[in-house]
Amino acid sequence: MVVGPLASAAITGERYTEGQVLGVGGMGKVVLARDARIGRDVAVKVMHGDREVSDEDQARFLREAQVQGQLEHPSIVPVYDIDQRADGSTFFTMRRVLGKTLEHIVHTLRTGDAVARARYTQRELLTAFATVCLTIDYAHTRGVIHRDIKPANIMLGDFGEVYVLDWGLALLVDTVAPRSTSEPSERLSRPGNMMGTPLYMAPEQMGDSDVGPGAAVFSLGAILFELLTLQHLRDPASLFAPVNARASERAPALRIAPELEVICIKATAYDPADRYATPRALHDALVRYLEGDRDMERRRELARKYAEEASVALTAAEQGGFDEEEQRLDAVRKLRSALALDPSNAENVRVLGALIMTPPKTLPVEVQAELSAQENLLVHTGVRYSVLASLMWFAFLPLVMWMGLREPTHVAYVLGPSALAAVLSAAATRYVVIPYWLQLAAIAATIIGGAATTTMFGPLVLAPTLLATFTVVLQAHPSGLIRRSTWMFGCVALAAVAVLELVNPMSYVEVGEALAIMPRTHDLPREGSIMLLLCASLAMTIVPCLFIGRIREALNQAQRQILTQAWQFRRFGEDLVDPRSGLK
């Protein structure tokens, strides 16, 4: 690369008409100008007047123009001309580029601007950054080290262009690229000078301007970290402190992909040997991630499609109809497919869980069959207890005989229906599905036997408690018909024995201020009556408790199963969301 003094000032300024100032830097300013010869707008960089007196500054200014002009790359602004104004000040012209610097874009994103977030997605910024990496790598192959890579020197054009600006601090080094033997290795600063912007400089660049490609990799890594977290890699107040490029620690709420974090950490390693060897290697690592992310984006698009179809099917199912079951199944299948494609979508997990845990308006055939089986199991359990409860009356027969029978035939009023209830209940256990008529017959026999106990103690002592206990226990039956029939039978039986009490000889008579029981069946000896009432009360307490306890245990088990399933769905949704994964 040949860099020499300006030969002559052939153009005096008549060609360019200068306009507004586009930017101002330490070496000079950039103004908009009209090229009268070509008929186009160009950017003109002019040295500050006080810099013109320094031979070194003038050499750097001219070298910047020639370096930039000889780096022919789409992302390096081409230089058109080097010349002097009529007043002798040096300038060079280059393409006018339209767009915004990366520094401005990051600042706007940092403020939370919604328009900027929609315009500059993370993927778009990473794609532009990958272009910057290739641009810097190209410059290295031409023997040029930029030395001032920072967001302010990167511009994104309005139509997808990416530019690396300001090559004023570029270092010229030997390179593997072919070059003329007459082209010496040159630098634009003395060894030991710190050249660049400290926030983005590699540690080795802090003490020496004579740096290699590794320093550029560090600067690029610092920019990548800033794009991901919208934070500076370094604290401006402690520039020489070790850097922490772990985005998951610095900005955990942003859910930075762990692959990108690894790239940042490697690119900004303290030792240049631990970094990527070249900017292209950094580019390749980023592209591998982006290619995988592009595949993930396709998966997410397909997942969104399935989720939308599931929503349509679910809406149709909620409206009811003959195909409700099929619509719900279709919604479950679509949501399951969406989760398989995009497991990070917690909303789909939540909807799937809610869909599964919420019963349909019309129970599916399979559910109806399973529910019938469970109800039948409960009925069989109740029938077995009914056999036991009915036979317990025969256990009381010795006590009844001990009390002394006045009318032995009245005992049959109790034991006969009880025996019939036991036989019917035993017969019912032989059915796979117990018919309603058989259940109702057994219930009616039991109620009749209970009502017959009025011959022992009248209608107000044992019979009400016995019938109330029996009818309450039967309210645990799964069939509404059986529940309604039971309490109706019980109420009718109680009313019937009360009416019979009015038309038949009284079971209760007044004796002074006391109400005496006058049983028809037997005498009421003190010890025998107390023993019979005690045993009957214990039986009416223990048997229903065993039955209700069995039902409660079954309900507890079902509740545990439902709550466990709900917990599993919640955990399933939480585990699918990696707090550090996903591109926004």
Side-chain angles (χ1 to χ4, degrees):
M1 184 177 293
V2 179
V3 179
L6 190 62
S8 63
I11 307 298
T12 62
E14 296 176 355
R15 177 177 177 178
Y16 302 104
T17 303
E18 296 180 5
Q20 66 183 28
V21 176
L22 300 176
V24 179
M27 183 69 67
K29 63 180 179 180
V30 179
V31 299
L32 179 64
R34 184 68 178 177
D35 185 345
R37 180 175 300 173
I38 305 296
R40 62 182 175 184
D41 290 334
V42 296
V44 177
K45 187 166 186 177
V46 184
M47 284 191 70
H48 291 312
D50 57 343
R51 294 282 192 167
E52 289 279 358
V53 299
S54 169
D55 292 339
E56 182 177 344
D57 286 345
Q58 190 175 56
R60 180 180 294 115
F61 184 81
L62 294 174
R63 192 164 296 148
E64 175 190 358
Q66 291 191 331
V67 166
Q68 184 174 332
Q70 294 181 34
L71 291 175
E72 299 180 2
H73 189 277
S75 292
I76 299 176
V77 181
V79 172
Y80 296 141
D81 195 8
I82 305 175
D83 213 329
Q84 288 181 335
R85 287 169 161 172
D87 60 4
S89 58
T90 308
F91 73 93
F92 64 87
T93 62
M94 51 189 167
R95 176 190 296 168
R96 181 201 180 188
V97 293
L98 299 174
K100 295 180 175 63
T101 65
L102 205 54
E103 180 181 52
H104 173 80
I105 293 171
V106 171
H107 172 74
T108 306
L109 292 173
R110 197 176 288 138
T111 63
D113 185 274
V115 176
R117 288 184 180 277
R119 169 67 179 85
Y120 299 105
T121 63
Q122 188 181 86
R123 180 174 183 81
E124 182 174 351
L125 293 178
L126 292 179
T127 302
F129 175 79
T131 300
V132 173
C133 293
L134 286 182
T135 303
I136 298 300
D137 190 73
Y138 163 79
H140 290 178
T141 65
R142 306 299 297 166
V144 179
I145 307 295
H146 190 286
R147 289 198 301 183
D148 195 19
I149 305 172
K150 58 184 179 182
N153 287 337
I154 297 171
M155 176 174 283
L156 272 58
D158 294 339
F159 301 97
E161 312 96 316
V162 180
Y163 297 106
V164 178
L165 310 175
D166 198 348
W167 296 81
L169 297 183
L171 173 68
L172 308 183
V173 297
D174 291 327
T175 178
V176 296
R179 58 188 290 149
S180 169
T181 55
S182 63
E183 296 177 344
S185 175
E186 303 181 65
R187 62 176 55 87
L188 304 185
S189 61
R190 299 182 181 86
N193 290 347
M194 186 172 72
M195 307 292 289
T197 303
L199 276 178
Y200 304 95
M201 288 167 58
E204 67 271 19
Q205 192 176 353
M206 294 284 192
D208 192 350
S209 62
D210 194 3
V211 294
V217 171
F218 184 95
S219 299
L220 291 168
I223 294 173
L224 176 60
F225 179 86
E226 192 166 333
L227 291 179
L228 297 174
T229 65
L230 303 181
Q231 300 177 21
H232 293 303
L233 176 65
R234 283 196 177 98
D235 184 352
S238 54
L239 293 174
F240 294 92
V243 299
N244 177 15
R246 296 189 179 277
S248 60
E249 297 178 4
R250 299 278 300 274
L254 295 181
R255 297 169 54 195
I256 307 301
E259 297 91 339
L260 294 174
E261 179 178 287
V262 170
I263 293 175
C264 283
I265 293 173
K266 183 175 178 63
T268 57
Y270 181 85
D271 188 343
D274 294 332
R275 301 173 200 154
Y276 293 100
T278 63
R280 176 177 284 275
L282 171 57
H283 162 273
D284 293 344
L286 183 60
V287 167
R288 282 193 296 272
Y289 169 78
L290 290 175
E291 288 295 333
D293 180 65
R294 185 176 296 115
D295 179 66
M296 177 57 71
E297 186 59 32
R298 286 195 292 268
R299 291 168 64 90
R300 286 175 178 165
E301 284 293 336
L302 187 57
R304 281 192 287 269
K305 175 177 176 294
Y306 279 127
E308 291 172 358
E309 293 177 355
S311 178
V312 172
L314 183 57
T315 300
E318 290 174 347
Q319 294 175 354
F322 69 93
D323 61 342
E324 176 189 1
E325 180 180 347
E326 185 59 35
Q327 293 287 0
R328 286 177 63 89
L329 288 175
D330 186 49
V332 171
R333 294 190 195 100
K334 294 297 175 56
L335 281 172
R336 191 170 56 194
S337 298
L339 284 171
L341 291 166
D342 183 13
S344 65
N345 194 318
E347 177 62 18
N348 286 347
V349 178
R350 186 195 65 77
V351 174
L352 179 61
L355 176 61
I356 293 177
M357 299 303 294
T358 303
K361 294 179 180 179
T362 302
L363 289 181
V365 175
E366 292 84 352
V367 175
Q368 291 180 8
E370 184 177 356
L371 186 59
S372 296
Q374 292 180 357
E375 291 177 351
N376 195 50
L377 177 62
L378 180 61
V379 171
H380 272 269
T381 302
V383 166
R384 286 193 294 271
Y385 277 101
S386 295
V387 175
L388 175 63
S390 299
L391 293 177
M392 285 187 67
W393 284 109
F394 291 89
F396 295 145
L397 185 59
L399 284 174
V400 174
M401 299 296 291
W402 176 41
M403 293 171 64
L405 293 176
R406 181 181 302 163
E407 291 289 343
T409 57
H410 287 182
V411 177
Y413 296 161
V414 176
L415 297 184
S418 298
L420 177 60
V423 171
L424 292 174
S425 297
T429 60
R430 303 176 63 86
Y431 285 86
V432 176
V433 178
I434 303 175
Y436 281 125
W437 68 266
L438 187 54
Q439 297 182 56
L440 291 174
I443 291 170
T446 302
I447 290 177
I448 292 172
T453 60
T454 58
T455 62
M456 297 181 180
F457 299 97
L460 303 179
V461 178
L462 187 60
T465 305
L466 176 63
L467 293 177
T469 301
F470 181 70
T471 54
V472 168
V473 168
L474 263 291
Q475 297 312 300
H477 198 288
S479 169
L481 173 64
I482 299 297
R483 292 195 301 270
R484 291 188 297 270
S485 299
T486 301
W487 68 259
M488 289 176 61
F489 288 170
C491 291
V492 169
L494 283 174
V497 295
V499 171
L500 290 174
E501 181 69 17
L502 295 175
V503 300
N504 288 320
M506 298 293 292
S507 297
Y508 306 104
V509 296
E510 293 184 8
V511 180
E513 295 182 354
L515 187 66
I517 301 176
M518 303 294 292
R520 303 184 182 90
T521 303
H522 49 69
D523 295 326
L524 290 179
R526 183 172 181 272
E527 295 81 3
S529 298
I530 292 175
M531 185 62 67
L532 178 61
L533 290 174
L534 173 62
C535 291
S537 298
L538 288 175
M540 286 186 291
T541 300
I542 294 172
V543 174
C545 285
L546 292 175
F547 182 63
I548 297 298
R550 180 68 178 269
I551 294 175
R552 181 66 260 181
E553 184 57 35
L555 292 176
N556 287 343
Q557 184 176 356
Q559 187 177 26
R560 284 193 295 269
Q561 183 177 1
I562 292 173
L563 293 176
T564 302
Q565 289 176 342
W567 173 82
Q568 287 175 329
F569 274 112
R570 290 196 301 272
R571 289 298 305 272
F572 182 50
E574 293 169 359
D575 293 342
L576 285 177
V577 182
D578 186 336
R580 301 187 302 168
S581 67
L583 261 179
K584 291 290 184 183

